[in-house]
Amino acid sequence: MPRLSEVIAELDALWPPQRAEQWDAVGTVCGDPDAEVSRVLFAVDPVQEIADEAVALGADLIVTHHPLYLRGTTTVAAGHFKGRVVHTLIKHDIALHVAHTNADTADPGVSDALAGALDLRVTGPLVPENNLGRICELDQPETLAAFAARAAKRLPATAQGIRVAGDPDMTVRRVAVSGGSGDSLFDAVRAAGVDAFLTADLRHHPVSEATQHSALGLVDAAHWATEWPWCELAAAQLDEISDRHGWDLRVHVSKTVTDPWSSHHTSSGAPN
């Protein structure tokens, strides 16, 4: 079995930490470099449910996309929910490693996994300077409504589902995709000349301005749902590395839905 330090070295080669944004917090959060690793769990969020799942699974390492301590901390006391995660992991000899914006800009990375989940053909990066997002083509043109239905079918189900802005009957041939929050990319999307943009966390004003600016179709999925496909891609990459080194790692992808929105919807009334 490999040591944690050996596995982390391979993960850092896939997602170099120096490619992370300056504000980001990536890398190993906890874990003994000399500890042996036999089972790895991939997940989007380093929350208590995932820590408990790792304990039940007998995992030695969790790899998540989102950081545990993005803004730093002065305590890991178990009275705080993040400290409780750390205590759970250390108590059960489970390491935690994070690949966030360094996985977003990797090749292949988060947006490649999103495109793959929707069976889209990637033709290039949306933002070439930092390899962020992807421009894709459909095998056959389809309506915006059909493209949104494809996203709803292929991505994990969440309470939000899929929201659409634009003419549902418009023809979609070329699309831009970006896993996670994407409404800062509208200039690049317009410059790319695509028919539609699939991302997450779209806000009212950017969407309103984008739909007024041009006949761009917008497909807004839950943040967690657009990033979960990366877990499957990353797990497959580690499986290949394990086979190459003869490590015989057992690699798992969490199916636990850690999207924070609940399944309860309440209809709002008309304004007075």
Side-chain angles (χ1 to χ4, degrees):
M1 289 186 292
R3 294 178 299 163
L4 175 63
S5 59
E6 295 176 286
V7 178
I8 296 303
E10 293 289 349
L11 298 184
D12 282 347
L14 289 176
W15 318 299
Q18 61 268 24
R19 290 185 60 90
E21 296 285 348
Q22 289 188 344
W23 52 262
D24 205 0
V26 302
T28 305
V29 178
C30 64
D32 180 352
D34 293 325
E36 291 185 334
V37 176
S38 64
R39 195 182 295 268
V40 182
L41 178 65
F42 282 86
V44 175
D45 297 302
V47 293
Q48 190 64 44
E49 294 94 325
I50 298 302
D52 293 340
E53 181 178 350
V55 172
L57 186 65
D60 309 294
L61 169 63
I62 303 173
V63 180
T64 65
H65 183 50
H66 290 152
L68 179 63
Y69 287 108
L70 183 58
R71 293 174 179 83
T73 187
T74 59
T75 177
V76 293
H80 187 270
F81 68 93
K82 291 190 177 185
R84 190 162 64 253
V85 170
V86 174
H87 276 253
T88 300
L89 298 180
I90 292 176
K91 187 180 298 183
H92 294 89
D93 295 321
I94 302 171
L96 172 62
H97 187 78
V98 174
H100 192 211
T101 52
N102 50 328
D104 289 332
T105 58
D107 187 9
V110 172
S111 293
D112 295 286
L114 176 57
L118 271 66
D119 200 23
L120 304 175
R121 185 170 66 256
V122 174
T123 61
L126 175 61
V127 185
E129 305 91 272
N130 59 5
N131 200 40
L132 188 64
R134 293 293 181 265
I135 299 173
C136 309
E137 293 182 352
L138 281 67
D139 288 335
Q140 297 291 333
E142 61 189 29
T143 65
L144 178 61
F147 179 65
R150 175 199 295 240
K153 180 179 179 180
R154 302 292 183 85
L155 295 179
T158 61
Q160 171 186 311
I162 302 293
R163 301 189 298 178
V164 182
D167 179 0
D169 295 322
M170 69 176 288
T171 300
V172 174
R173 297 180 179 85
R174 298 179 71 238
V175 301
V177 302
S178 181
S181 304
D183 62 17
S184 65
L185 301 175
F186 276 127
D187 287 345
V189 170
R190 283 190 285 265
V194 296
D195 304 307
F197 180 34
L198 168 65
T199 188
D201 296 344
L202 292 181
R203 295 171 296 163
H204 174 90
H205 292 296
V207 170
S208 178
E209 292 173 4
T211 54
Q212 294 296 317
H213 190 281
S214 63
L216 177 68
L218 300 177
V219 181
D220 180 39
H223 189 119
W224 175 84
T226 63
E227 293 180 333
W228 184 84
W230 172 79
C231 295
E232 291 197 319
L233 169 64
Q237 289 176 293
L238 184 56
D239 266 332
E240 189 277 329
I241 291 168
S242 175
D243 289 344
R244 181 167 14 108
H245 289 295
W247 285 348
D248 195 29
L249 289 177
R250 288 160 288 179
V251 181
H252 306 264
V253 175
S254 175
K255 302 297 193 299
T256 302
V257 178
T258 55
D259 182 79
W261 295 103
S262 72
S263 60
H264 179 70
H265 291 267
T266 301
S267 299
S268 58
N272 295 324

